[in-house]
Amino acid sequence: MPTATDDERSIAALVETHEADVWARCIEFAAAMPGDPLGAVIDRSGPIPLPALTAVDSGSFNRVVALGIRSPATPDCISGIIDFYRDLGQRSFRVELAPVATPPDVAVWLERAGLRPVSEGATKVWRRLAHPDWDNDLEPDLDVVPTECEVRRLTEADADRVAALNVRAWGAWQAPVSLSPWFAATVGQEGFTHYGVFMDDHLVCTGALSIDDKLAWIGFDATHPRHQSRQLRRSLTRRRLADAQAEGCTIIHAEGRSDRLSGRSRVLDTLYVRRFFAHGDELGQRS
């Protein structure tokens, strides 16, 4: 974001810190699952939350967000990140660096510490939602759910089928341990609302919404492989936008691989691309 305005930088800082907190709460709910099967650990003692799923040892979960956002990063902070994962026996982790992170030297420090840039990254998308004093209500929903489908809010009773759909949609059965507890952990929990698209009472598409005061985050999107309809994903996204707006949120945001944002790209705008600096097995994706 080299030409970002002060307002854009302020928005970026808000959504980075919010996403870091949402992810930390996901880890906390995973730790609360019976027996803590994924070995979930969260350290909130420093300037940013440090999350880990020790039973998985993957940068997809051992991911540090918002470095250099609340306060400037330092070499000592980076050393603390490395020590945290080393002490847990984790080989694979990554730092997801936003272009508004400070100071500018932080990327150099990450590389000096042994983390390397990889080809994968994340696109951060957002939208400003309506306020009583603004005239920017959501446009008419042209991507209505097909008549044979129904969108429902889900409850804790739906956790198992949400987990099953995510495992199937993301090929997570290839993981060394079952990831079902991860996908089930936040369903029906405080601060998270999960939604489902049903066809003949079968869950075929799902996604989550997390609201904190005026900020809303959407994620955990998954679609059954036989129902890969962008119309379903867009409709689910628009439902969450509408609900966030009804709750008084002024900003909604999400993130994901650029090639997997199609269901959001028509209703959310790109804010920036976040760079990944990885340690361990993810270095196979090095740029």
Side-chain angles (χ1 to χ4, degrees):
M1 193 181 293
T3 60
T5 65
D6 288 344
D7 184 53
E8 288 170 332
R9 290 181 183 278
S10 176
I11 292 165
L14 282 173
V15 301
E16 281 288 306
T17 54
H18 186 228
E19 182 190 335
D21 186 63
V22 170
W23 194 255
R25 286 187 283 120
C26 291
I27 297 289
E28 289 169 344
F29 281 121
M33 296 293 282
D36 186 14
L38 299 177
V41 178
I42 185 71
D43 183 348
R44 290 182 178 267
S45 63
I48 51 175
L50 300 179
L53 291 186
T54 60
V56 183
D57 193 11
S58 166
S60 294
F61 304 97
N62 299 344
R63 51 188 292 263
V64 177
V65 178
L67 177 65
I69 301 298
R70 284 192 177 104
S71 59
T74 66
D76 285 346
C77 181
I78 294 170
S79 294
I81 293 170
I82 294 171
D83 290 346
F84 170 76
Y85 289 109
R86 181 199 61 204
D87 292 348
L88 290 172
Q90 298 296 280
R91 169 173 167 76
S92 298
F93 59 90
R94 70 186 183 217
V95 174
E96 303 188 6
L97 192 65
V100 294
T102 60
D105 292 337
V106 65
V108 174
W109 294 343
L110 287 167
E111 292 199 57
R112 285 178 182 168
L115 283 81
R116 294 290 179 262
V118 295
S119 56
E120 184 184 356
T123 299
K124 194 70 188 175
V125 292
W126 80 298
R127 180 179 177 130
R128 197 186 298 276
L129 297 177
H131 183 278
D133 296 332
W134 303 337
D135 184 21
N136 68 335
D137 287 342
L138 296 175
E139 296 90 346
D141 190 352
L142 301 179
D143 299 306
V144 295
V145 177
T147 55
E148 67 272 21
C149 296
E150 177 188 5
V151 177
R152 305 178 198 163
R153 285 194 179 200
L154 305 179
T155 70
E156 193 171 1
D158 297 299
D160 286 346
R161 53 181 170 179
V162 168
L165 175 58
N166 272 275
V167 167
R168 182 161 191 174
W170 297 110
W173 61 81
Q174 300 172 356
V177 298
S178 173
L179 290 176
S180 292
W182 170 255
F183 294 117
T186 58
V187 181
Q189 301 302 320
E190 182 178 359
F192 289 86
T193 303
H194 286 256
Y195 299 79
V197 178
F198 290 82
M199 185 176 296
D200 296 327
D201 206 38
H202 294 289
L203 182 65
V204 296
C205 186
T206 187
L209 169 70
S210 182
I211 293 176
D212 294 281
D213 194 21
K214 301 297 183 182
L215 295 175
W217 171 90
I218 58 175
F220 286 113
D221 290 28
T223 307
H224 192 287
R226 285 194 220 141
H227 300 277
Q228 289 292 335
S229 163
R230 293 184 180 182
Q231 185 176 355
L232 293 181
R233 296 195 296 273
R234 282 196 298 265
S235 297
L236 205 56
T237 295
R238 295 182 72 90
R239 168 66 183 271
R240 287 175 286 177
L241 263 71
D243 284 1
Q245 181 173 295
E247 291 293 326
C249 295
T250 56
I251 289 176
I252 192 165
H253 62 101
E255 65 288 334
R257 279 175 37 179
S258 299
D259 61 343
R260 291 180 176 171
L261 286 169
S262 58
R264 302 169 183 162
S265 59
R266 288 182 57 183
V267 288
L268 299 177
D269 298 321
T270 296
L271 186 58
Y272 53 80
V273 176
R274 189 191 286 149
R275 298 174 66 194
F276 288 0
F277 290 80
H279 180 280
D281 295 341
E282 289 198 345
L283 292 181
Q285 303 178 62
R286 185 182 302 178
S287 300

